[in-house]
Amino acid sequence: MSHQGAPRLKGLAVQSLVRNETLAISALEEQHGLVFPPLFIEAFTERRSRVLTGRVQAWPFTCLPLGFLKKTLWAKHRKESIHLCCRTLDIEVSFQNIRKFLQSVDLDCIQELEVSCHWKLPTLGQFSFYLARMSHLERLLVSYFRTPAYLSPMMGNNYVLQFANAFVNMDRLQKLDLHSDSFLEGHLDQVLDQVPQDPTGDPLMKLTQTLSISCCRLVESDVSHLPWCLTLTQLKHLVLTKVKLTDFSPEPLQFLLERVAATLQTLDLDDYGISDAQLRVILPSLSHCSQLTTFSFCRNQIFMPALEDLIHHTAGLSKFNRGQYPVPLESYHASGTFYREILAQFAAKLRRTLRDSQTKKIFFGPVPCTECGNRFLYDLDMVRQCC
């Protein structure tokens, strides 16, 4: 057989298979992955909707690129009838490069969205026009937005308001991740207040279950608002890491933990700047989080007595199974040298006093290795593992 005849024979086989809808659908699991793209194109060209649906549902690759279909002649004639649906969208390019896609995709179909771009705040204002039309969004991650120095506070506030107003129709939003440097500072309440409560008014219905705020500069009023945000009353997962506060008071966090004590399962307060005295204010509320299973408190500057109290309170919770804690300050020399022996003595003491310690995963760290530079966690037996 000639090399020129092979492609034509393959094309005829594809056409024959697509026209036999029953066979084309029933044989999906037995078909090689390389056959899927030409079969998909043929099914689209011949308007075989059942075969096309089966192709999409059984698509074996990590993505389904449809952009080339829009450029073809059959596509242009049927422009109004094409329904481009995208459930998960990751944006890592400039706004200009993604704008045409946002104009063509059915934004109401998007359920998960990640925007990980080094955009400036004015760009966020432009993007908010499209974000507001994603009414079925369930998970949103926004990161790396920054406020340029030339922007006046009034203009910056206008852009943040546009972003906040985009949340008005998102009554299905379950997970909100905000990872940025400065644009939330003084505006967190504006954003969270626009996230809808359950439209039926039933407090047992789903509200926002995950709130993650990291690498952000906040003011005291931002944190003070969290306990009074009605959409967070059923919170299950709370992440507040690397939050740079202008003036940290523990009372707002204490009140927030009291409000979500019946539902909170995961709490991450890594690198939150909590001292011994502030920890003791928070500890009673933390002890009431009966559903807590996972707790992370690394990179906070804590001495042994306060840390021991914290570990006993959290590890004593009935559903608790994993905790990551900072290495106590006594384990470091003033020069920064880590003394493993001191941590080992502290861990041995805890191991003797903790009830059911075998079922609890208690770790200390992270500790950088002087040889390889990797960061490690130590368990109660001083066995280390990579972070």
Side-chain angles (χ1 to χ4, degrees):
M1 182 183 295
S2 67
H3 291 289
Q4 295 179 348
R8 176 170 174 77
L9 184 60
K10 179 181 177 182
L12 291 173
V14 167
Q15 293 176 5
S16 176
L17 182 59
V18 166
R19 289 166 184 169
N20 189 336
E21 292 189 350
T22 302
L23 180 60
I25 295 173
S26 63
L28 282 173
E29 296 182 358
E30 301 175 3
Q31 293 169 12
H32 192 278
L34 295 177
V35 181
F36 269 73
L39 282 172
F40 177 86
I41 296 174
E42 184 66 23
F44 187 87
T45 304
E46 295 294 326
R47 302 189 183 188
R48 304 283 180 172
S49 58
R50 289 183 61 224
V51 178
L52 190 63
T53 300
R55 296 286 111 189
V56 174
Q57 292 175 344
W59 193 255
F61 309 113
T62 56
C63 62
L64 178 61
L66 299 180
F68 74 96
L69 294 177
K70 296 168 56 183
K71 300 177 182 179
T72 59
L73 183 63
W74 43 284
K76 293 179 180 178
H77 289 167
R78 298 163 57 194
K79 181 178 180 181
E80 299 302 324
S81 64
I82 294 177
H83 178 80
L84 185 55
C85 181
C86 175
R87 298 187 184 277
T88 302
L89 177 61
D90 295 342
I91 301 178
E92 299 180 356
V93 296
S94 69
F95 180 64
Q96 297 302 323
N97 289 340
I98 198 67
R99 188 198 294 268
K100 288 186 177 180
F101 173 80
L102 293 174
Q103 292 172 346
S104 60
V105 72
D106 187 349
L107 298 175
D108 199 44
C109 290
I110 298 177
Q111 298 177 355
E112 297 187 8
L113 172 65
E114 291 190 12
V115 185
S116 304
C117 308
H118 292 273
W119 290 352
K120 295 180 180 179
L121 197 55
T123 306
L124 178 64
Q126 299 178 58
F127 176 72
S128 297
F129 169 77
Y130 301 95
L131 182 63
R133 294 161 57 190
M134 303 179 189
S135 60
H136 286 74
L137 205 62
E138 298 178 0
R139 177 181 179 270
L140 172 63
L141 181 148
V142 175
S143 60
Y144 304 122
F145 281 94
R146 59 188 180 89
T147 305
Y150 63 81
L151 203 63
S152 68
M154 180 176 294
M155 289 300 299
N157 186 59
N158 289 337
Y159 292 128
V160 174
L161 283 176
Q162 292 176 24
F163 175 68
N165 289 333
F167 288 84
V168 171
N169 296 320
M170 296 183 192
D171 54 16
R172 302 188 182 193
L173 190 64
Q174 296 294 300
K175 185 174 183 179
L176 178 60
D177 295 321
L178 300 173
H179 178 107
S180 186
D181 181 39
S182 60
F183 90 94
L184 284 175
E185 185 176 5
H187 301 294
L188 184 60
D189 58 337
Q190 296 173 318
V191 174
L192 294 180
D193 281 349
Q194 295 301 324
V195 179
Q197 303 175 51
D198 176 67
T200 65
D202 185 350
L204 298 180
M205 296 296 287
K206 290 182 179 180
L207 299 173
T208 302
Q209 296 183 4
T210 299
L211 175 64
S212 178
I213 301 175
S214 59
C215 299
C216 293
R217 289 205 304 265
L218 300 178
V219 296
E220 185 66 20
S221 61
D222 293 322
V223 182
S224 298
H225 181 71
L226 292 178
W228 313 112
C229 185
L230 297 179
T231 192
L232 301 181
T233 56
Q234 302 292 316
L235 204 62
K236 291 184 178 181
H237 311 284
L238 175 62
V239 177
L240 297 172
T241 63
K242 296 183 180 180
V243 175
K244 305 168 187 175
L245 290 163
T246 55
D247 182 24
F248 174 55
S249 173
E251 280 77 13
L253 182 56
Q254 174 195 10
F255 296 151
L256 176 61
L257 292 177
E258 288 178 357
R259 295 205 67 181
V260 299
T263 59
L264 192 65
Q265 299 174 9
T266 303
L267 178 61
D268 188 342
L269 297 176
D270 282 355
D271 201 3
Y272 196 66
I274 298 178
S275 66
D276 288 33
Q278 295 163 340
L279 175 60
R280 296 196 184 279
V281 174
I282 299 168
L283 201 54
S285 300
L286 185 59
S287 302
H288 294 149
C289 296
S290 58
Q291 305 301 309
L292 192 68
T293 63
T294 306
F295 177 55
S296 190
F297 196 68
C298 297
R299 297 186 180 90
N300 289 289
Q301 306 297 308
I302 303 295
F303 288 95
M304 282 185 181
L307 183 58
E308 185 174 358
D309 284 347
L310 172 63
I311 294 175
H312 277 283
H313 278 79
T314 50
L317 296 170
S318 60
K319 297 189 177 182
F320 186 82
N321 58 41
R322 183 181 177 92
Q324 296 183 184
Y325 304 91
V327 173
L329 292 177
E330 290 91 338
S331 300
Y332 291 98
H333 187 266
S335 63
T337 303
F338 168 61
Y339 292 114
R340 185 180 185 277
E341 298 77 10
I342 297 178
L343 178 60
Q345 295 172 7
F346 180 65
K349 179 183 177 182
L350 285 171
R351 193 167 56 251
R352 291 192 300 268
T353 57
L354 282 176
R355 295 179 301 171
D356 302 325
S357 61
Q358 297 300 320
T359 63
K360 312 289 184 181
K361 297 179 181 179
I362 306 297
F363 299 94
F364 301 96
V367 179
C369 177
T370 56
E371 297 179 359
C372 66
N374 291 335
R375 293 182 176 272
F376 292 91
L377 296 174
Y378 286 92
D379 64 13
L380 287 177
D381 295 316
M382 293 305 293
V383 177
R384 71 179 190 175
Q385 66 173 28
C386 287
C387 293

